[in-house]
Amino acid sequence: MESPNCKVSERISLNYHLFHRAKAANDLRHLILDISRAAKYVSYEIQTSESDLAGGTNTSGEEQLKLDVFNSGHLIYKHLAVCYLFFGNKTEAQRALEKSLDLKSDYFETHYLLGSLLIKENDLKSADLEFSIVLEKVPEHIGALANRAVVAIRQSHFDAARKYLIQLSGLDMKDHELYNVLGELCTRIKEFRLAINFYENYLQRNPQRIDVLNNISSCYAQLGNYQAAILGYQSVLEMEPVNELARENLVALGRHLQNHSSPDLKEAILFASPSYKMAARIA
């Protein structure tokens, strides 16, 4: 008798299901895959004894594959730390990262994660140590350099912060938002030329960000380059005529120029900037 043509249930990967069927957001999909991977590692650790990992033959005389699961224990704890952080359990996340480092002390990604966690806990000295270990392994690690700048600023070590920010200015940021963040850090320590460099890099990629153009204009004003500042604020008002910050800054510049600038400079700027005259109400 002919066998019935029975369909076999379709077997798909978790990643395929999350991406194509569940339409999960990328961050959520990656998190679920990390949790799944961590669970597998933990399962292997529990189910496999050290003797099983040594190779050889089983009771049926079959060759056993030599596994290296125990050497990946640091990855298990790293993945678990990510899970704990997702659920807001910083204490357990820190313990997991410390266990990961006990197993593999030179794994720089774990040092970076631990440093990021310690910053949130305001343990700045310990955080800085973790980032310094990362930079010993990867001297141009953008995240570690940026975080060391943050730590230095929060400790009022502005010369150190300046050094890290200058180093970052020569690196290409895959995450363009970092240009804006680094510009803000430079502004906080009054490194306005460096801030302009970061902001302009960001603006090239996001030309409609009026707030960043306002920031660039304010940096020029702080450097005494009033023409560049005024042109920047004018550009903001052309894109958004009701922008209150640009208008207020133009008014402030008008008062400053009236009180401190030479008549020739003041006249040249006002003549070239009719919208500035309107904003500042200078006839």
Side-chain angles (χ1 to χ4, degrees), residues 10-60:
E10 184 182 7
R11 183 178 179 83
I12 61 172
S13 70
L14 175 60
N15 186 47
Y16 182 93
H17 173 78
L18 292 170
F19 187 83
H20 293 283
R21 294 187 176 177
K23 307 293 184 184
N26 283 336
D27 287 347
L28 177 60
R29 178 168 60 88
H30 292 152
L31 175 67
I32 293 172
L33 291 173
D34 274 346
I35 293 173
S36 174
R37 192 177 299 114
K40 287 180 182 177
Y41 280 135
V42 173
S43 177
Y44 290 152
E45 289 265 20
I46 293 171
Q47 296 177 24
T48 313
S49 67
E50 191 168 1
S51 60
D52 292 329
L53 300 175
T57 58
N58 63 12
T59 54
S60 302

Side-chain angles (χ1 to χ4, degrees), residues 47-261:
Q47 296 177 24
T48 313
S49 67
E50 191 168 1
S51 60
D52 292 329
L53 300 175
T57 58
N58 63 12
T59 54
S60 302
E62 297 170 325
E63 291 292 327
Q64 295 291 292
L65 178 65
K66 185 175 181 178
L67 301 176
D68 196 23
V69 176
F70 280 98
N71 285 335
S72 61
H74 66 289
L75 292 175
I76 297 172
Y77 285 114
K78 178 198 163 191
H79 287 305
L80 287 174
V82 171
C83 300
Y84 281 129
L85 285 173
F86 178 78
F87 291 108
N89 193 333
K90 294 179 183 178
T91 301
E92 289 301 324
Q94 184 170 342
R95 287 177 183 170
L97 290 171
E98 289 168 351
K99 288 179 180 177
S100 176
L101 291 174
D102 286 341
L103 294 170
K104 192 172 178 65
S105 61
D106 62 347
Y107 189 55
F108 73 88
E109 288 188 15
T110 304
H111 284 287
Y112 179 73
L113 278 174
L114 182 55
S116 301
L117 180 60
L118 290 168
I119 278 189
K120 294 177 181 178
E121 296 298 307
N122 206 35
D123 188 350
L124 301 180
K125 185 176 181 180
S126 298
D128 193 56
L129 176 60
E130 297 299 326
F131 295 130
S132 70
I133 294 171
V134 174
L135 291 171
E136 286 176 6
K137 301 289 182 182
V138 188
E140 294 187 345
H141 191 289
I142 290 172
L145 285 169
N147 276 302
R148 289 202 85 179
V150 170
V151 169
I153 289 172
R154 288 172 64 175
Q155 294 177 322
S156 298
H157 298 161
F158 299 138
D159 287 340
R162 186 178 299 110
K163 179 184 72 173
Y164 301 129
L165 290 166
I166 289 172
Q167 190 172 347
L168 283 161
S169 68
L171 303 178
D172 183 40
M173 310 291 164
K174 292 181 180 178
D175 181 359
H176 298 159
E177 288 296 324
L178 272 174
Y179 286 116
N180 190 28
V181 171
L182 295 172
E184 291 172 357
L185 290 178
C186 290
T187 302
R188 287 175 61 182
I189 62 172
K190 303 186 184 303
E191 285 292 323
F192 299 114
R193 295 185 192 281
L194 201 53
I196 290 170
N197 176 58
F198 285 122
Y199 284 139
E200 287 183 340
N201 267 294
Y202 181 78
L203 206 59
Q204 287 173 10
R205 296 161 174 82
N206 301 273
Q208 300 305 313
R209 284 291 298 272
I210 291 175
D211 58 322
V212 177
L213 183 53
N214 258 328
N215 290 342
I216 291 174
S217 304
S218 296
C219 287
Y220 277 122
Q222 290 291 337
L223 292 169
N225 190 340
Y226 301 122
Q227 281 114 325
I230 290 166
L231 288 172
Y233 292 133
Q234 282 180 328
S235 298
V236 170
L237 291 171
E238 286 172 6
M239 291 187 285
E240 189 179 274
V242 296
N243 189 282
E244 190 69 18
L245 182 61
R247 190 193 68 79
E248 288 178 357
N249 283 336
L250 280 172
V251 171
L253 268 179
R255 290 172 180 160
H256 177 80
L257 291 172
Q258 281 185 319
N259 296 328
H260 299 94
S261 297

